[in-house]
């Protein structure tokens, strides 16, 4: 059996930077607390925890003493304004690893909100409700934007007023196009609808690449954490190109039966999937063959 790891799968720029930042701070002897999982992959989170990076929630911030060497790490997804206020209020030192692409989108959200408030319009964010990046975006503008996950969420939008549509960075291009077309169709004045495709090309570019990769394999093993948003999008891309695609979180889920009659396996993953984990998956598949 031949097992190939997709050369474009694995951490995106934003995740690599956040993890490197955490590792640097640990090497400097800092006490590092990641505000939420630094990456949507439990095994990578466990690896970082073994180095000393503790994962905390917002509710834990009040329990952390403002010591000189303490650093609260803001992960690539970014945070709402209120988090920075809490950190400053508690005199907690922090390291901001918000991905520059997300930071730019936060600034655009503020600008969109300003424009819409001037004309009585609404900002629409295509994104997953409750996802950290979306909470961070809407938290730049006191939650005035309406978060749209699917077409049905457009019910109740005032289409007689101007609208500004943008997207969480990890949404699918196809869904964005569908929502954009529907917004324009329903709007009483489509010329007053501003559309900004703010999907990160680190993710979007991978959809097409993964479809081609999946087509070349007898079977695809997609590795990603259950909480990964772009993992769902990218797995869907694999599955649409090759129905013999499975999604796993760890090599422990693999069984010999899965590979019966398979000669050519492709291993790939999300932007939050560590390369070392895909290597473990490849090695496990090769051992299954023996
Ligand atoms: S997917 Fe794009 S926007 Fe999101 S963290 Fe990675 S590089 Fe940044």
């Amino acid at each position: 059996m031949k097992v190939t790891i997709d050369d474009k799968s694995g951490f995106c720029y934003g995740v690599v930077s956040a993890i490197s930042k955490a590792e640097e701070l640990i090497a400097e002897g800092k006490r590092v607390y990641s505000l939420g999982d630094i990456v949507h992959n439990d095994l990578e989170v466990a690896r970082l925890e073994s180095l000393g990076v503790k994962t905390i929630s917002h509710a834990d911030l009040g329990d952390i003493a403002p010591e000189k060497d303490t650093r609260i790490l803001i992960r690539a997804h970014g945070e709402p304004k209120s988090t920075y206020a809490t950190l400053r209020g508690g005199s907690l030192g922090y390291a901001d690893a918000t991905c520059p692409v997300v930071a730019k989108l936060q600034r655009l959200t503020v600008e969109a909100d300003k424009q819409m408030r001037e004309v009585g319009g609404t900002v629409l964010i295509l994104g997953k409700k409750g996802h950290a990046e979306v909470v961070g975006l809407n938290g730049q503008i006191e939650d005035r934007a309406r978060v749209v996950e699917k077409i049905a969420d457009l019910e109740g939008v005032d289409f007689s007023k101007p609208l500004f549509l943008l997207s969480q960075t990890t949404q699918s291009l196809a869904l964005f196009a569908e929502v954009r077309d529907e917004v324009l169709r329903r709007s009483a004045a489509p010329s007053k609808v501003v559309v900004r495709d703010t999907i990160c090309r680190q993710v979007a570019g991978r959809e097409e690449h993964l479809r081609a990769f999946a087509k070349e394999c007898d079977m695809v093993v997609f590795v990603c954490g259950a909480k990964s948003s772009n993992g769902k999008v990218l797995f869907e891309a694999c599955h649409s190109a090759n129905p013999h695609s499975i999604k796993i979180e760890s090599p422990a889920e693999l069984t010999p039966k899965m590979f019966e009659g398979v000669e050519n396996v492709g291993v790939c993953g999300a932007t939050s999937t560590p390369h070392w984990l895909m290597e473990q998956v490849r090695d496990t598949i090769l051992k299954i063959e023996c």
Side-chain angles (χ1 to χ4, degrees):
M1 188 156 49
K2 187 175 154 217
V3 184
T4 311
I5 298 179
D6 169 41
D7 59 359
K8 287 208 167 61
S9 286
F11 291 157
C12 61
Y13 167 78
V15 171
V16 169
S17 301
I19 290 173
S20 305
K21 186 81 188 164
E23 288 173 337
E24 264 168 40
L25 291 167
I26 289 287
E28 286 167 13
K30 302 280 193 294
R31 244 189 304 268
V32 182
Y33 298 93
S34 171
L35 195 47
D37 289 345
I38 194 165
V39 57
H40 285 156
N41 189 286
D42 291 346
L43 299 179
E44 178 65 7
V45 169
R47 184 189 74 83
L48 289 163
E49 272 176 3
S50 75
L51 299 179
V53 180
K54 284 205 180 111
T55 303
I56 56 164
S57 69
H58 291 77
D60 299 324
L61 282 175
D63 300 331
I64 295 176
E67 285 166 11
K68 196 160 88 31
D69 285 342
T70 294
R71 291 290 179 279
I72 309 297
L73 184 78
I74 294 178
R75 58 195 171 159
H77 292 316
E79 284 290 326
K81 275 197 203 159
S82 56
T83 300
Y84 293 90
T86 305
L87 293 171
R88 283 193 289 268
S91 303
L92 291 166
Y94 63 90
D96 196 342
T98 303
C99 172
V101 179
V102 175
K104 193 172 163 202
L105 177 53
Q106 289 179 343
R107 292 193 292 275
L108 176 64
T109 307
V110 171
E111 177 54 33
D113 178 59
K114 186 168 166 271
Q115 279 184 30
M116 289 300 102
R117 279 198 288 158
E118 281 167 9
V119 293
T122 307
V123 177
L124 305 175
I125 300 175
L126 172 67
K128 193 170 168 213
K129 292 172 186 167
H131 185 284
E133 183 191 317
V134 176
V135 171
L137 292 176
N138 215 356
Q140 304 302 312
I141 55 172
E142 282 145 16
D143 296 327
R144 279 186 288 271
R146 177 186 282 252
V147 179
V148 175
E149 277 186 20
K150 52 191 181 309
I151 298 285
D153 295 334
L154 293 174
E155 293 312 320
V157 170
D158 186 349
F159 285 99
S160 67
K161 300 272 173 60
L163 296 165
F164 197 122
L165 173 67
L166 42 82
S167 176
Q168 178 185 352
T169 57
T170 48
Q171 288 291 309
S172 90
L173 287 170
L175 181 62
F176 185 75
E178 200 185 327
V179 170
R180 175 202 61 207
D181 292 351
E182 189 59 18
V183 168
L184 290 170
R185 193 184 69 74
R186 292 193 198 185
S187 170
S191 62
K192 293 203 172 125
V193 177
V194 182
V195 177
R196 289 288 168 82
D197 170 0
T198 50
I199 293 169
C200 174
R201 266 39 190 180
Q202 286 259 342
V203 184
R206 291 186 188 193
E207 282 183 56
E208 208 180 314
H209 167 80
L210 276 180
R211 267 188 222 104
F213 175 77
K215 273 187 194 149
E216 283 169 16
C217 308
D218 296 340
M219 176 182 180
V220 173
V221 178
F222 189 91
V223 191
C224 86
K227 286 180 268 182
S228 168
S229 232
N230 80 80
K232 285 191 189 83
V233 172
L234 296 178
F235 174 67
E236 216 23 73
C238 285
H239 198 264
S240 66
N242 183 343
H244 197 181
S245 297
I246 60 166
K247 181 146 78 87
I248 61 164
E249 281 193 69
S250 95
E253 293 166 53
L254 297 171
T255 64
K257 202 168 169 31
M258 291 172 177
F259 299 93
E260 277 172 11
V262 174
E263 284 180 6
N264 172 16
V265 183
V267 175
C268 51
T271 55
S272 51
T273 306
H275 208 271
W276 61 260
L277 184 56
M278 291 186 282
E279 286 167 14
Q280 276 187 7
V281 168
R282 175 198 59 201
D283 296 347
T284 304
I285 297 169
L286 290 170
K287 273 190 207 133
I288 282 175
E289 191 190 17
C290 302

